[in-house]
Amino acid sequence: MTIQVPAKKPARPFFSSGPCAKPPVYDLSKLATESLGRSHRAKIGKTRLAYCIDLMREILQLPETHRIGIVPGSDTGAFEMAMWTMLGAKPVTTLAWESFGEGWVTDVAKQLKLDPTIIRADYGQIPDLNTIDWTNDVLFTWNGTTSGARVPNADFIPADREGLSFADATSAVFAYDIDWSKIDVATFSWQKVLGGEGGHGVLILGPRAVERLETYTPAWPLPKVFRLVSKGKLAEGVFKGETINTPSMLAVEDAIFALEWAKDLGGLKGLQARSDANAAALNKIVEERSWLSHLAADEATRSKTSVCLSVEGADADFIKKFAAVLEKADAAYDIAGYRDAPAGLRIWCGATVNVEDIEDLGPWLDYAYATVKAG
């Protein structure tokens, strides 16, 4: 049997869930370069870092009550910084329904040794959010990048909570509405919804998190790159562009490019509209194929960015071959599911992907499925 090769390929076959596709108008030659080769502490460096922070605040619609800073180590570094500087003052509850949430469980239990309450759910699901004890500090992943499952909104976080809410929001910011009054700590990296470069994280602190930092000293030593307090007060410079260590100004300019593109789209609503359209286009592809299904069955808790799919009868070897067929054809890159997740596909539907590329992907999924089945 001859397997029909689709006539049209996605023009931009970049479907990786991190680092994600660059903005569709991206061109290296369009990046501002005046800050390159200059000190990040020179006026130009500080100005560009502060501008990047201001753009993030504007597009995220972040209230003035919340500070935003650029820190080392991508989203992981930002979340680690938050845990190591603030946890230990209260009991801790950790939520895990995918690999990164499990990583935070490991850190709290085995590194910080805080004996957390652990609430888990299988890949594709989220736990019962009504069982959380909010007298504790609570750690959760807003959008499970490796499971395709997310919290539906922030309604489960009480306004009168005693503990702090820590949200790993790296695949969520710029894609969902977030009630920032419910968030004490949030982290993300530019490499997800903005399609920026890796290596830098963003840390958002609400007033309750700042109070914790200024009134609590952890029992363990803190490395320099985690220190947010000086002489008992928050190091305010970090949240004005005075980074703890040397940033890549090229990565900063790259992020600024993406943020200015987002602003031209209409800001948060423009980014959300693109992501929503991509997720809807992929959902249509899934609904039209009996061999394809969503790992996150409940639409209310299904990711609109990192969409995880199950392939009927597929094991890890099948998925590896499936992804290789598409990569060889330059039809889709990096769509195999995460290594710790159930065997399946993971297709990024964030704002930097064009909807027509999702639509053009459908026949290629058929082609790869038939090719591997015939194998």
Side-chain angles (χ1 to χ4, degrees):
M1 181 183 75
T2 302
I3 299 170
Q4 187 70 35
V5 179
K8 185 182 179 185
K9 295 179 186 178
R12 302 173 70 242
F14 305 102
F15 301 108
S16 163
S17 289
C20 301
K22 307 299 287 184
V25 297
Y26 189 78
D27 185 337
L28 270 174
S29 68
K30 294 179 182 177
L31 296 192
T33 57
E34 292 80 8
S35 67
L36 305 190
R38 296 293 307 276
S39 170
H40 61 296
R41 304 205 184 281
K43 182 179 179 180
I44 187 170
K46 287 183 178 180
T47 299
R48 296 301 280 176
L49 285 158
Y51 177 53
C52 185
I53 288 171
D54 289 344
L55 282 173
M56 288 188 285
R57 180 180 297 279
E58 178 183 353
I59 293 169
L60 288 175
Q61 299 173 13
L62 192 71
E64 291 299 326
T65 53
H66 286 55
R67 293 164 170 85
I68 182 167
I70 298 166
V71 300
S74 196
D75 176 62
T76 301
F79 206 79
E80 294 279 6
M81 177 183 287
M83 288 191 293
W84 283 74
T85 55
M86 284 177 263
L87 292 185
K90 285 183 174 290
V92 182
T93 295
T94 55
L95 279 63
W97 55 84
E98 49 98 51
S99 61
F100 289 100
E102 280 293 342
W104 310 140
V105 169
T106 297
D107 280 3
V108 175
K110 295 186 177 180
Q111 302 300 323
L112 296 176
K113 303 185 188 303
L114 291 176
D115 192 23
T117 298
I118 304 168
I119 304 175
R120 290 187 169 95
D122 292 335
Y123 275 80
Q125 302 174 14
I126 66 169
D128 182 353
L129 301 176
N130 294 316
T131 64
I132 299 170
D133 179 357
W134 281 98
T135 63
N136 292 5
D137 291 334
V138 179
L139 280 59
F140 69 98
T141 305
W142 190 290
N143 186 108
T145 309
T146 66
S147 72
R150 63 178 174 93
V151 296
N153 48 51
D155 291 353
F156 71 100
I157 304 173
D160 61 351
R161 61 194 175 280
E162 292 182 33
L164 300 182
S165 60
F166 291 72
D168 173 355
T170 198
S171 292
V173 289
F174 304 107
Y176 305 108
D177 289 321
I178 295 177
D179 180 353
W180 291 105
S181 71
K182 301 291 188 71
I183 303 300
D184 299 308
V185 180
T187 65
F188 67 92
S189 69
W190 297 324
Q191 65 176 336
K192 298 292 185 180
V193 181
L194 291 176
E197 292 302 296
H200 298 290
V202 177
L203 176 66
I204 295 174
L205 300 179
R208 300 175 76 248
V210 173
E211 181 185 23
R212 172 72 61 83
L213 284 165
E214 293 184 340
T215 58
Y216 166 70
T217 301
W220 43 81
L222 293 175
K224 179 181 178 180
V225 292
F226 283 4
R227 295 175 201 158
L228 291 168
V229 173
S230 177
K231 298 179 181 178
K233 291 293 182 182
L234 187 73
E236 293 285 2
V238 173
F239 304 93
K240 298 175 182 176
E242 297 171 15
T243 53
I244 292 172
N245 68 338
T246 306
S248 163
M249 292 308 299
L250 183 58
V252 171
E253 294 296 351
D254 186 272
I256 287 172
F257 181 94
L259 289 160
E260 289 180 336
W261 167 75
K263 188 174 180 178
D264 288 343
L265 288 177
L268 185 62
K269 292 303 179 186
L271 293 172
Q272 290 173 339
R274 286 180 61 88
S275 187
D276 289 351
N278 289 335
L282 183 57
N283 188 55
K284 183 173 185 291
I285 290 170
V286 173
E287 289 180 340
E288 292 171 349
R289 288 154 178 82
S290 61
W291 54 270
L292 205 53
S293 61
H294 286 282
L295 181 60
D298 183 356
E299 187 175 357
T301 56
R302 182 186 303 154
S303 173
K304 294 181 181 180
T305 55
S306 56
V307 183
C308 297
L309 305 177
S310 299
V311 176
E312 186 178 65
D315 58 12
D317 184 61
F318 186 99
I319 295 299
K320 183 178 180 180
K321 292 175 181 176
F322 189 110
V325 167
L326 294 175
E327 183 163 347
K328 184 177 180 181
D330 294 319
Y333 301 139
D334 311 317
I335 68 166
Y338 192 73
R339 61 181 180 270
D340 294 333
L345 306 176
R346 182 171 60 152
I347 298 169
W348 185 255
C349 289
T352 55
V353 174
N354 287 333
V355 68
E356 56 267 28
D357 291 327
I358 296 285
E359 293 167 346
D360 290 340
L361 180 61
W364 282 97
L365 297 180
D366 294 330
Y367 171 75
Y369 183 70
T371 299
V372 180
K373 289 281 281 189

